[in-house]
Amino acid sequence: MSTLEVLPDQSWRRVLCVVAHPDDMEYGASAAVATWTDRGIEVGYLLLTSGEAGMQRDPAEVGPLRAAEQRAACDTVGVTSLTILDHPDGMLVPGLELRRDIAREVRRFKPDAVITANFDLEAYGGFNQADHRAAGLAAVDGVRDADNPWVFRELAETEGLPKWHTRWILIAGHPDATHGVPVDEDAVAKSVASLQCHQAYLADLPGHPDPAEFIPEILADGGNAMGADHAVLFQAHDLGPGLNG
């Protein structure tokens, strides 16, 4: 019997995904993205770095290469809005500058939900990568900053971006999931294909398994938790209805 709730996304119009690197959304969560965009929900990606320190070659070459691979991955799942910031890969700091950049994009994009990746110290079978931890913490803070007119006042006063209330924060890859999005075979295939778009990056990781081998398995495990064939699971936090102008 299913113990997880289906995410109440029927009325959503926009979802913003805030992650540290190119490829961070492609480890299963992109199946939910494909499902949403197929339903007409607009999904945007905000990458806090270009992932330039993630390969064994010159970062000046890697950044543009990984951006191109991410653009292809976005196209695969119907994402048209891709923003890549220039914070240094491997050295993200969840401070005011990063929070401001996230709050700016939240106010600009006006999402109903913001997705970030698991930012626990221990995750994915070991210690979580430093940027993942910084990105997730800053994403949560940035969502709340975006809803506070007295934080980063310049966003409204100088940039014309009034406060915005995001109702849901979703944490992908969290072991204590609360909700899920059932996905069909087409979304599973698109999720696999989206990770395969990161061809050069994956080739630089010795022993990385074929996406077609493990992505469907992750999504099938999610489906088992929901009584479905496949699903993407999230730890979901409902911030309430709020007020938006």
Side-chain angles (χ1 to χ4, degrees):
M1 178 180 293
S2 171
T3 59
L4 301 182
E5 297 182 49
V6 175
L7 198 64
D9 57 8
Q10 295 81 8
S11 65
W12 292 2
R13 294 180 296 171
R14 288 177 296 274
V15 175
L16 180 65
C17 305
V18 181
V19 292
H21 313 111
D23 88 288
D24 283 353
M25 282 298 298
E26 272 70 72
Y27 285 82
S30 57
V33 172
T35 299
W36 288 324
T37 59
D38 189 56
R39 286 172 39 199
I41 296 173
E42 183 181 3
V43 180
Y45 280 17
L46 175 63
L47 276 55
L48 305 180
T49 82
S50 64
E52 73 277 5
M55 296 176 65
Q56 301 301 311
R57 61 176 87 179
D58 186 349
E61 175 189 355
V62 171
L65 171 61
R66 297 201 68 190
E69 291 189 334
Q70 183 62 66
R71 178 68 270 167
C74 286
D75 291 343
T76 300
V77 294
V79 171
T80 57
S81 176
L82 170 63
T83 301
I84 302 177
L85 303 182
D86 59 358
H87 291 273
D89 184 20
M91 296 182 285
L92 274 183
V93 177
L96 293 178
E97 182 181 1
L98 189 60
R99 284 169 49 189
R100 183 190 302 110
D101 286 348
I102 294 169
R104 175 184 291 112
E105 187 67 10
V106 169
R107 291 188 181 193
R108 186 194 70 79
F109 197 74
K110 300 180 179 179
D112 299 290
V114 166
I115 296 175
T116 193
N118 186 357
F119 51 96
D120 287 349
L121 174 61
E122 295 183 52
Y124 314 116
F127 288 120
N128 204 350
Q129 199 265 351
D131 283 353
H132 295 165
R133 304 199 311 270
L137 183 60
V140 171
D141 290 340
V143 166
R144 297 198 296 182
D145 294 336
D147 194 28
N148 189 334
W150 312 120
V151 175
F152 305 131
R153 295 187 186 190
E154 66 275 18
L155 294 180
E157 295 172 359
T158 304
E159 302 182 34
L161 296 170
K163 78 180 190 75
W164 179 261
H165 175 78
T166 298
R167 172 139 192 182
W168 291 88
I169 294 177
L170 310 178
I171 305 173
H174 197 285
D176 298 322
T178 59
H179 293 70
V181 177
V183 298
D184 61 18
E185 291 286 351
D186 182 62
V188 174
K190 288 179 178 177
S191 184
V192 170
S194 71
L195 183 53
Q196 290 172 334
C197 287
H198 297 275
Q199 182 177 2
Y201 174 68
L202 295 181
D204 210 54
L205 299 176
H208 192 285
D210 184 341
E213 295 177 359
F214 73 94
I215 295 294
E217 182 178 334
I218 291 173
L219 297 174
D221 287 344
N224 288 337
M226 298 199 69
D229 290 335
H230 298 90
V232 180
L233 304 185
F234 299 99
Q235 186 181 82
H237 299 265
D238 184 354
L239 305 184
L243 293 173
N244 288 313

